[in-house]
Amino acid sequence: MAFSFFSSIFGGGNPTEPTARVSSIFIYPIKSCGGISVSQACITSTGFRWDRQWLIVNSKGRAYTQRVEPKLALVEVELPKEAFFDGWEPTNDSYLVIRAPGMDTLKVPLSRSCEVIDGVSVWEWSGSALDEGAEASEWFSKYMGKPSRLVRFNTASETRIVDPKYAQGYKTMFSDGYPFLLLSQGSLNALNNILEVPIPINRFRPNILVDGCAPFSEDQWTVMKINNLTCNGVKLCARCKVPTINQETGIAGSEPTETLKRFRSDQVLRPTDKQRGNVYFGQNLVCKESCSASGKEKHIKVGDPVYVLKKVSSPAEAAA
């Protein structure tokens, strides 16, 4: 009876032994632009600190993404190395540094006050944001070839909640909808073994890459511990056009989506569900401790063990 009870909680595994380890951490300060690989990242109420804090918008305040503007893949972003450590705060000499082909380097101060503008929107959310000023607007307008602005999430007055159908009480900034995306190296390796031309992990833009587990096992993880933080897998990640965009050239193709349709579609993984034509790769996460702003700063580091405490028996049982 005791074995059955603990098996139901821990999915039949032994919680004293890690299922995987964190092998890489990625942060994407500007939505749809280049990511930064870091050795550790601090947990905030909206996800990793600095992740998707900024957004490029058109003249109507609507977000640009790689889905429509694939050249955003070529925008490289840099933050001070110290920005990813506990307790760091920007000074007058701290900048968000932005580079792109054919453009001069843009340096956006991290500590200055910004004008609040209304009418900014991304997907279902709309509200106010902090305008990063004329120089940034001119830079992105030139790069995009049309009027554009760089804005920052206005944490002082705005909240963007995660879909309560999947995770109640959580929030995010300018991500597609969830604070974290987790993928495994095993899943990428399995896909690359099938593809004619292997692709790098940056096609899938995860926040947390783990290694040491079976391919696609992350589909089934619903409760896990990483550095004593409780992370919940709340929704399989349905992939959009972005994985088909080469992040080094900004050119879109048909892969890996065409191959994923053969074994990662809802028709294959979830045949009894309503079919939406989705393909799935990765697991969206929330972190329980992100709801509490009190106490010692929380972070996840490369090398941290991942303990899976609860899982479902198949992707068909996972939320999607």
Side-chain angles (χ1 to χ4, degrees):
M1 181 67 71
F3 175 81
S4 176
F5 172 75
F6 283 107
S7 293
S8 67
I9 294 178
F10 299 123
N14 184 349
T16 64
E17 297 179 1
T19 302
R21 288 188 181 273
V22 176
S23 56
S24 297
I25 297 171
F26 302 99
I27 291 175
Y28 309 88
I30 305 177
K31 183 176 181 64
S32 269
C33 295
I36 303 172
S37 177
V38 299
S39 60
Q40 73 169 45
C42 296
I43 302 287
T44 73
S45 62
T46 57
F48 283 141
R49 188 182 187 190
W50 308 114
D51 193 55
R52 276 88 168 192
Q53 277 200 24
W54 286 269
L55 182 70
I56 307 161
V57 298
N58 64 18
S59 59
K60 296 181 179 180
R62 188 68 183 166
Y64 289 135
T65 74
Q66 284 189 39
R67 294 165 175 82
V68 178
E69 302 290 349
K71 68 188 299 182
L72 289 175
L74 307 183
V75 177
E76 299 177 357
V77 183
E78 179 183 323
L79 282 165
K81 293 181 179 179
E82 300 82 7
F84 303 102
F85 291 94
D86 295 350
W88 185 85
E89 293 298 331
T91 67
N92 291 336
D93 296 321
S94 303
Y95 298 93
L96 175 73
V97 180
I98 304 169
R99 300 179 177 88
M103 301 291 294
D104 293 333
T105 299
L106 174 66
K107 298 175 71 174
V108 178
L110 292 175
S111 61
R112 72 177 175 194
S113 298
C114 297
E115 178 186 354
V116 177
I117 60 172
D118 295 317
V120 171
S121 60
V122 55
W123 307 132
E124 83 300 335
W125 179 89
S126 63
S128 69
L130 304 176
D131 186 1
E132 290 291 5
E135 184 180 2
S137 176
E138 291 170 7
W139 194 97
F140 277 104
S141 296
K142 180 180 178 181
Y143 182 68
M144 301 303 297
K146 49 193 166 184
S148 307
R149 304 200 75 83
L150 178 67
V151 300
R152 188 174 184 177
F153 197 87
N154 185 8
T155 56
S157 64
E158 300 293 343
T159 299
R160 183 170 175 233
I161 63 169
V162 169
D163 187 342
K165 176 182 176 182
Y166 297 98
Q168 292 190 352
Y170 294 91
K171 56 186 180 178
T172 186
M173 289 193 188
F174 292 134
S175 70
D176 273 356
Y178 297 88
F180 307 96
L181 175 63
L182 179 144
L183 278 172
S184 76
Q185 185 66 45
S187 299
L188 180 65
N189 292 346
L191 173 61
N192 279 335
N193 286 338
I194 302 171
L195 292 173
E196 289 187 13
V197 180
I199 59 174
I201 193 61
N202 65 8
R203 292 286 193 99
F204 296 102
R205 300 174 66 81
N207 294 111
I208 302 170
L209 182 67
V210 301
D211 201 1
C213 58
F216 309 110
S217 58
E218 66 269 26
D219 291 350
Q220 300 166 240
W221 301 349
T222 56
V223 182
M224 64 206 83
K225 282 279 190 181
I226 308 176
N227 195 23
N228 292 319
L229 301 172
T230 303
C231 297
N232 294 339
V234 295
K235 186 177 184 291
L236 298 182
C237 184
R239 306 311 307 216
C240 63
K241 176 185 176 182
V242 171
T244 69
I245 300 169
N246 185 315
Q247 299 294 294
E248 282 71 46
T249 66
I251 298 173
S254 61
E255 293 290 10
T257 300
E258 287 304 311
T259 295
L260 288 171
K261 286 179 180 177
R262 304 202 319 249
F263 73 111
R264 296 293 301 172
S265 67
D266 47 8
Q267 185 175 10
V268 173
L269 297 179
R270 310 172 66 83
T272 61
D273 283 8
K274 180 180 179 180
Q275 299 299 296
R276 300 181 176 88
N278 289 334
V279 295
Y280 299 101
F281 204 83
Q283 176 80 263
N284 289 299
L285 304 185
V286 296
C287 177
K288 181 179 179 182
E289 285 77 9
S290 70
C291 294
S292 171
S294 62
K296 184 180 178 181
E297 288 204 39
K298 314 164 190 73
H299 58 265
I300 290 176
K301 307 185 303 297
V302 170
D304 279 345
V306 179
Y307 298 93
V308 176
L309 305 185
K310 190 174 182 180
K311 61 183 180 180
V312 295
S313 61
S314 73
E317 296 181 26

